[in-house]
Amino acid sequence: MKSYFYVFFIFFSFQAQAQNFYKVSGTALDKNQKLPLVGAYVFINRSSDNKEWAVSTDAQGNFNFDGLASGQYTLKITYIGFKAKQQALEISQKDIFLGEILLDEDPLLLKQIDIIGKLPPAEQKGDTTQYNAKAFKTNPDANAEDLLQKMPGVNLQNGKIQAQGEDVKQVLVDGKPFFGNDPNAALKNLPAEIIDKIQIFDQNSEQSQFTGFNDGNTTKTINIVTKPEMRNGQFGQFYAGYGYEDKYQGGGNLNVFDKNRRVSILGQSNNINQQNFSTEDLLGVAGSSGRRGGARGGGDARMGGGFGGGMGGGLLGGGVGSDVGDFLVGQQNGISTTHAFGLNYSDNWGKKVELTASYFFNRSNNDARQLINRDYFQDSDTTQQYAENSLEGSENTNHRFNLRLQYQIDTKNSIIIRTSAGIQQNDGFSLNVGQNTWGELTLNSTDNSFRSDLKGANFTNNLLFRHRFDKLGRTFSVNVGTGYNTNKGESFLLSENRFLGETEEFVDSLNQFSMLDAQGWNVSSNLVYTEPLGKGLGNMLMFNYDIQYQLNDSQKETFNFSSDTESYDRLDSTLSNTFSSHYLTHALGVGWMKRKNKLVTMLRLNLQWAELNSHPIIPASDDIQRNFYNALPFFMLRYDISKEKNLRLFYRTHTTAPSVSQLQNVINNSNPLQLSTGNPNLDQNYQHNLFLRYNATKADKSGVFFALLRLQYTDNHFANSTLIAQQDTVLNDQVMLQRGAQITRPVNLDGYWSSRMFVSYGVPVSFLKSNFNVDFSADYARSPGLINEKTNFANTTTLGIGLVLSSNISEKIDFTVSTRSQYNWVDNSLRQDLNDQYVNQNTQLKLTWILWKGWVFRSNLNHQAYFGLSEGFDQNFWLWNLEIGKKLFKNELGEIKIAVFDLLKQNNSLQRTISEVYLEDTETEVLQRYFMLSFTYRLKAFKEKKP
């Protein structure tokens, strides 16, 4: 604590000095359509010394220059396809707001742009890396995801787009949300040919954007900037196909753009695992089946993946499963049938109101067979292993709604409302045969069936009011948020379990019915006031106050079947629980920001008080109250080395409260060999995060370089304590844990830390007419855990390299050759003889070749290899998909094709999971070879511009 107060003392020791700096700002718009010109270049040149500054416009076309001294200047705005705009300025003792600056289209320039010069692939614009789509050639049928994978620093990992070493959480289209925060909805459904630029940046919260003070809550974001000539018309595609063994697909998307009014409709129905969206998982069941009772801590490392897809099985545990928040998950393994429909709408209602709203529905039926092999890190000469063979199925239904409304009351006041709602229903089942072994000895086994019916809903609403005073830099804003979530359901468990006792074999049969009713709500408020020190924005202070309150209630009742009454009427108090938790936080903070030439420095400090109350009622009433006092510092340094290079350094701290499912002390026995429970004595954790980012672009050499270093350390980490019974053990004087069975509960442990290093470089290869990208990554995680009350540190290290060569020859020949290799080390402190090394590699060749008279050949060949896994789990297989098609109609807008998926019938899915307690390999059944005949029609109808 002394170090925090020392920082606090120095923090307030800075003396403010008045600076005669001023601001120039405005908005660049398309003159004909009055649409913002996103990513336009704005230059300002000082006449006295010919010094020049440059910025790019944001998603609304806005730009601003800070810290300009009095004098004569020249402002110039350029944008591809538009005539440059230039005007003289005189700055004298006040800020200048230029308002709307309208640029005229240059039809001649639009036609000659490919001839005039070679576009650089990427440019660095402040915190934003901007890629020029015209520098990356794609085939006419490519979508946004295909285009992105050609760009330096962007790759596809386990079905998710990563940019600059981090998962992309949000995709905007011309600065506006597209189907809420679902990246896949935009990337898989928008054609590449409408894209002008791709911008990648860390988006701050809207309150931070207004105040200029970074609050540390950033989202890795991609903004798709469409071509101006394609912002007025209709485009999309429609498709249908039928194949061998009743395989089918049908769907499409339609986009109607009319200046600011934009409507997008998408839909699909198929039984071949195609999913052009992400799923909102309110129940915690979509990513994986929680039925096995393995409540994981925070240190898992997941490697690998497959080419299948689908949803997981049912879950009915001791709480709501997970905190309600961002639950968008990618496609999972198994064989799935999917039906989906979505509608996205955005428009400006007059000059003051901007609205974006979306609705999405999907239903997915999934079946998945799995083989699991798990080795425990026990402190003994012999290792206990768990093996499982299971069949899981589910029908998962989602509705989700998102809305964003911005009302510009006047030049000084605005309101932003964000609302989201989701409903999920999951009907799941699982059939499971599993056993624990100790060397050659079988300790126990289970043969059980589990069925669940769950319903969940959530609602969140945020209102942000922003006020700007007459004095530049003096602002006030308040953000009020509310939320509600509920989770209800029931489950049936029927199992026969055999245990090898110390003297004889014991058989235990279960026939149980469980009910769950959990709900929670929260309210929060954040007030921020900023004050400039002197004139201009070069030196500023910020004051903030935050308050948050969260309440969760959960009730689970388990009944045993009575043969006398032929009903479930015998309450099992050992498996039933009524529980509530309250979490209240107050935080008072102050911040200081200094802008000087190329350097921006920001310091913030929050003093936080938190109170956590846990109140179990059944089986025993108790009150557990804990108070936490924390100092939460934040530091940011931004240094613009040049127009092409910049450096960013962030240090952030924050606390996280345990979820109700982690606190609730009720046993989940859905797998009697692997029990789990909560821990009402959990404390909040405290995280330290350090980020270092470096960006550099070379316009003359068309090179793009990016480097990332991330470090994280956690006090009171949420880890697992696993008790593996060496003999028959009675828990809490009530529950018998048979020999070889286990129970897991969360605990707080210190010593967790992780790191990630990522470096990427991309450059054109002229003699091959292609782009070459290479990236290196190094990941490390140290996760503490308890096994039979002994501490184990699981250390996982991964080194990776990725190589991509993508063609830039022409739109008729489009190929991408890529390979990604990872070398993995697994070390643990308890059983060093179980330390392991393994390799996974994925190589891919994608080719699209448009031949003579509209004939098209497509090939996608993947090679997946795993070496060093458990016996029988090593993999070395090829997945080869082929298509032959013929373009039809005027402008080749139609196509009929025949396709074969998994020509060699080798498709597979494998995943390795490493926790602080065990090492697990999972193989899942996936879709294999089928043939399909299909027809596709593309719609393109753009309105011509008036001269």
Side-chain angles (χ1 to χ4, degrees):
M1 289 298 294
K2 289 183 179 180
S3 61
Y4 289 133
F5 286 110
Y6 179 70
V7 172
F8 191 76
F9 174 76
I10 293 183
F11 180 80
F12 282 107
S13 297
F14 288 99
Q15 299 296 319
Q17 297 181 359
Q19 306 271 345
N20 293 322
F21 291 148
Y22 304 98
K23 177 181 177 180
V24 173
S25 59
T27 305
L29 301 177
D30 175 348
K31 183 177 181 179
N32 291 331
Q33 302 184 56
K34 294 297 179 67
L35 291 174
L37 297 179
V38 185
Y41 303 147
V42 187
F43 305 89
I44 192 166
N45 182 282
R46 186 163 60 198
S47 302
S48 59
D49 56 5
N50 204 34
K51 187 174 181 179
E52 186 175 77
W53 295 266
V55 297
S56 60
T57 56
D58 63 15
Q60 286 72 45
N62 300 320
F63 66 88
N64 70 79
F65 295 91
D66 296 328
L68 299 176
S70 298
Q72 301 289 333
Y73 292 83
T74 301
L75 181 84
K76 183 178 181 180
I77 303 178
T78 64
Y79 191 79
I80 296 175
F82 287 76
K83 297 178 181 178
K85 193 88 169 186
Q86 182 172 307
Q87 67 183 92
L89 301 175
E90 181 179 358
I91 301 177
S92 177
Q93 304 302 314
K94 65 177 182 179
D95 300 310
I96 297 178
F97 177 62
L98 299 171
E100 296 180 350
I101 302 176
L102 306 179
L103 273 67
D104 293 304
E105 285 190 5
D106 190 339
L108 182 61
L109 182 60
L110 279 171
K111 294 179 181 179
Q112 295 179 346
I113 193 164
D114 289 326
I115 304 173
I116 291 174
K118 183 179 179 181
L119 286 172
E123 299 165 279
Q124 197 62 40
K125 301 297 178 182
D127 293 336
T128 300
T129 302
Q130 180 170 280
Y131 296 92
N132 293 303
K134 286 183 177 292
F136 304 90
K137 294 186 183 299
T138 57
N139 69 81
D141 302 318
N143 59 25
E145 186 177 83
D146 297 326
L147 174 64
L148 273 166
Q149 291 183 69
K150 290 176 174 283
M151 296 178 173
V154 181
N155 59 72
L156 189 67
Q157 286 273 51
N158 296 328
K160 292 185 177 181
I161 283 287
Q162 286 190 342
Q164 300 172 342
E166 299 176 271
D167 287 343
V168 174
K169 300 296 186 180
Q170 178 177 246
V171 174
L172 307 175
V173 178
D174 289 329
K176 296 183 179 181
F178 192 80
F179 285 98
N181 59 343
D182 185 353
N184 283 328
L187 299 182
K188 294 181 180 295
N189 291 286
L190 290 178
E193 63 179 341
I194 73 164
I195 299 175
D196 184 30
K197 294 182 178 66
I198 294 289
Q199 298 174 330
I200 299 176
F201 56 96
D202 293 302
Q203 186 178 56
N204 294 321
S205 67
E206 289 178 308
Q207 197 165 20
S208 293
Q209 295 174 44
F210 176 70
T211 63
F213 279 84
N214 192 320
D215 60 7
N217 297 317
T218 60
T219 303
K220 181 62 71 176
T221 300
I222 288 177
N223 182 38
I224 297 175
V225 183
T226 59
K227 296 177 181 176
E229 66 270 23
M230 293 186 173
R231 295 177 184 170
N232 200 357
Q234 300 85 41
F235 62 92
Q237 71 169 358
F238 308 93
Y239 59 90
Y242 186 78
Y244 175 68
E245 291 186 339
D246 293 326
K247 295 294 187 293
Y248 70 89
Q249 65 170 342
N253 61 79
L254 173 65
N255 302 273
V256 181
F257 284 14
D258 184 8
K259 298 181 181 179
N260 287 308
R261 182 181 296 115
R262 300 183 176 188
V263 179
S264 297
I265 303 171
L266 63 90
Q268 61 179 162
S269 179
N270 66 81
N271 61 357
I272 55 172
N273 288 26
Q274 295 299 312
Q275 183 175 297
N276 291 344
F277 55 90
S278 300
T279 300
E280 189 171 32
D281 184 16
L282 309 176
L283 302 171
V285 299
S288 63
S289 172
R291 174 194 52 74
R292 291 189 297 272
R296 296 185 173 95
D300 286 4
R302 291 178 177 270
M303 313 296 178
F307 301 97
M311 304 297 296
L315 163 72
L316 186 55
V320 294
S322 301
D323 293 326
V324 174
D326 182 8
F327 285 104
L328 291 183
V329 296
Q331 201 171 33
Q332 304 300 313
N333 292 323
I335 299 176
S336 295
T337 298
T338 300
H339 312 285
F341 169 81
L343 174 66
N344 189 82
Y345 171 84
S346 65
D347 196 6
N348 291 351
W349 294 352
K351 294 184 178 180
K352 293 188 175 184
V353 178
E354 181 180 314
L355 174 70
T356 302
S358 65
Y359 166 74
F360 198 84
F361 163 82
N362 70 277
R363 174 173 292 165
S364 177
N365 293 279
N366 173 260
D367 291 307
R369 295 184 181 274
Q370 287 189 333
L371 295 175
I372 294 175
N373 189 73
R374 181 183 293 180
D375 292 317
Y376 290 94
F377 303 135
Q378 291 173 267
D379 186 18
S380 59
D381 295 334
T382 304
T383 300
Q384 181 164 322
Q385 292 184 319
Y386 175 73
E388 178 181 293
N389 189 337
S390 66
L391 169 64
E392 299 178 358
S394 68
E395 180 180 85
N396 198 77
T397 303
N398 276 104
H399 301 265
R400 71 173 184 255
F401 171 78
N402 291 278
L403 178 143
R404 181 188 183 275
L405 185 146
Q406 179 171 338
Y407 176 45
Q408 192 70 39
I409 302 171
D410 51 38
T411 57
K412 296 181 179 179
N413 300 282
S414 66
I415 293 175
I416 298 177
I417 298 175
R418 283 184 175 270
T419 300
S420 66
I423 299 174
Q424 181 184 5
Q425 179 173 344
N426 182 280
D427 299 325
F429 77 89
S430 65
L431 304 175
N432 169 36
V433 177
Q435 68 175 14
N436 281 306
T437 57
W438 184 266
E440 300 296 325
L441 177 66
T442 300
L443 297 176
N444 47 55
S445 63
T446 183
D447 186 348
N448 68 61
S449 65
F450 181 82
R451 179 167 57 87
S452 64
D453 181 3
L454 291 175
K455 297 179 178 65
N458 80 329
F459 174 83
T460 61
N461 189 71
N462 281 277
L463 187 150
L464 173 62
F465 171 75
R466 304 183 297 185
H467 174 74
R468 198 182 302 275
F469 294 90
D470 290 333
K471 185 176 181 180
L472 179 67
R474 180 180 292 166
T475 68
F476 172 76
S477 59
V478 56
N479 188 14
V480 179
T482 57
Y484 173 78
N485 64 85
T486 181
N487 183 347
K488 297 182 179 182
E490 59 184 32
S491 70
F492 294 87
L493 173 65
L494 182 64
S495 68
E496 182 176 287
N497 313 291
R498 297 180 178 274
F499 299 92
L500 181 62
E502 298 177 0
T503 58
E504 61 181 356
E505 185 179 78
F506 172 70
V507 179
D508 181 27
S509 298
L510 297 176
N511 187 355
Q512 295 177 337
F513 167 73
S514 297
M515 294 189 302
L516 174 70
D517 187 354
Q519 59 184 354
W521 62 271
N522 62 81
V523 61
S524 63
S525 182
N526 172 234
L527 289 78
V528 176
Y529 175 81
T530 63
E531 178 67 26
L533 300 176
K535 297 182 179 180
L537 301 175
N539 208 349
M540 296 181 65
L541 283 177
M542 183 198 74
F543 303 92
N544 67 280
Y545 171 69
D546 304 331
I547 182 171
Q548 300 181 37
Y549 178 72
Q550 182 176 333
L551 169 67
N552 289 288
D553 292 308
S554 182
Q555 179 178 0
K556 180 186 177 185
E557 293 180 317
T558 299
F559 299 88
N560 291 310
F561 184 79
S562 173
S563 57
D564 296 333
T565 62
E566 294 292 321
S567 63
Y568 296 93
D569 57 6
R570 293 165 52 201
L571 179 68
D572 191 333
S573 60
T574 63
L575 302 175
S576 301
N577 185 268
T578 299
F579 183 89
S580 66
S581 69
H582 306 253
Y583 186 61
L584 173 66
T585 64
H586 297 267
L588 184 65
V590 64
W592 172 78
M593 181 171 60
K594 175 73 173 179
R595 293 185 176 97
K596 186 174 182 180
N597 298 327
K598 297 179 179 181
L599 182 65
V600 177
T601 305
M602 185 184 303
L603 291 170
R604 294 182 59 188
L605 181 65
N606 279 329
L607 300 179
Q608 184 190 80
W609 166 71
E611 180 183 76
L612 176 62
N613 288 304
S614 302
H615 184 49
I617 301 172
I618 297 176
S621 181
D622 193 10
D623 282 303
I624 303 172
Q625 179 176 334
R626 289 175 302 286
N627 292 291
F628 310 98
Y629 302 92
N630 295 293
L632 302 173
F634 173 84
F635 171 75
M636 185 198 79
L637 184 146
R638 185 180 73 197
Y639 181 57
D640 295 323
I641 302 170
S642 67
K643 293 181 182 179
E644 298 176 330
K645 302 176 183 178
N646 65 65
L647 183 70
R648 303 290 184 268
L649 176 65
F650 298 87
Y651 169 68
R652 181 195 177 203
T653 58
H654 71 278
T655 60
T656 304
S659 67
V660 66
S661 61
Q662 292 173 314
L663 292 169
Q664 191 173 11
N665 190 21
V666 60
I667 292 177
N668 175 6
N669 71 329
S670 54
N671 184 337
L673 303 188
Q674 298 179 335
L675 308 179
S676 65
T677 185
N679 180 2
N681 293 306
L682 282 177
D683 291 337
Q684 66 174 6
N685 67 27
Y686 186 106
Q687 293 186 18
H688 305 260
N689 294 276
L690 180 69
F691 293 86
L692 179 65
R693 296 188 179 99
Y694 175 76
N695 293 273
T697 59
K698 280 284 189 180
D700 54 341
K701 297 182 179 180
S702 300
V704 182
F705 178 83
F706 176 82
L708 163 74
L709 175 64
R710 183 185 68 210
L711 300 173
Q712 177 183 327
Y713 178 80
T714 305
D715 292 315
N716 283 332
H717 171 65
F718 298 142
N720 286 329
S721 175
T722 300
L723 173 63
I724 302 176
Q726 306 301 307
Q727 57 188 7
D728 296 349
T729 304
V730 179
L731 304 175
N732 300 328
D733 298 324
Q734 292 179 316
V735 179
M736 174 64 74
L737 187 67
Q738 302 290 338
R739 181 189 179 198
Q742 63 177 265
I743 185 168
T744 300
R745 68 177 187 132
V747 293
N748 292 115
L749 292 177
D750 292 334
Y752 172 84
W753 71 278
S754 65
S755 64
R756 176 168 176 76
M757 185 273 290
F758 178 82
V759 177
S760 69
Y761 180 69
V763 66
V765 183
S766 300
F767 70 94
L768 292 177
K769 293 184 178 181
S770 302
N771 295 305
F772 176 71
N773 305 319
V774 58
D775 65 71
F776 301 92
S777 63
D779 296 88
Y780 174 79
R782 183 177 186 261
S783 304
L786 293 177
I787 307 177
N788 292 342
E789 300 302 322
K790 294 185 178 181
T791 302
N792 181 59
F793 286 97
N795 303 286
T796 58
T797 305
T798 301
L799 297 180
I801 181 173
L803 305 172
V804 180
L805 182 68
S806 58
S807 70
N808 225 359
I809 301 172
S810 74
E811 294 181 350
K812 294 183 178 295
I813 301 178
D814 183 11
F815 68 83
T816 301
V817 182
S818 63
T819 182
R820 185 163 301 278
S821 303
Q822 289 184 326
Y823 198 95
N824 307 272
W825 290 266
V826 182
D827 300 319
N828 70 93
S829 58
L830 278 183
R831 288 291 305 276
Q832 296 186 9
D833 58 306
L834 292 180
N835 294 346
D836 195 15
Q837 300 178 20
Y838 66 100
V839 178
N840 58 299
Q841 183 183 54
N842 183 20
T843 301
Q844 184 179 47
L845 169 61
K846 293 174 64 176
L847 171 66
T848 298
W849 190 2
I850 301 178
L851 303 168
W852 178 69
K853 290 187 178 182
W855 285 94
V856 184
F857 173 76
R858 300 182 183 92
S859 174
N860 189 342
L861 180 63
N862 288 270
H863 176 249
Q864 189 84 35
Y866 288 85
F867 304 105
L869 303 184
S870 303
E871 183 178 352
F873 280 80
D874 281 350
Q875 298 288 335
N876 186 359
F877 67 91
W878 296 84
L879 174 63
W880 193 4
N881 304 329
L882 287 175
E883 293 181 2
I884 297 177
K886 177 68 171 68
K887 296 289 185 180
L888 306 172
F889 311 137
K890 184 180 179 181
N891 298 323
E892 298 185 338
L893 295 178
E895 180 182 336
I896 188 168
K897 65 181 179 182
I898 186 167
V900 54
F901 174 83
D902 188 19
L903 177 65
L904 305 178
K905 204 174 183 179
Q906 295 183 9
N907 190 24
N908 210 329
S909 172
L910 185 66
Q911 179 174 273
R912 167 157 283 195
T913 301
I914 304 164
S915 80
E916 62 272 31
V917 178
Y918 57 77
L919 184 151
E920 177 181 279
D921 293 322
T922 303
E923 185 176 6
T924 308
E925 175 189 27
V926 293
L927 191 68
Q928 290 193 322
R929 184 168 58 200
Y930 67 84
F931 296 85
M932 180 170 289
L933 178 68
S934 60
F935 172 76
T936 301
Y937 182 80
R938 292 191 299 142
L939 173 66
K940 290 171 48 177
F942 295 100
K943 297 179 182 178
E944 296 184 3
K945 306 295 182 184
K946 296 181 180 179

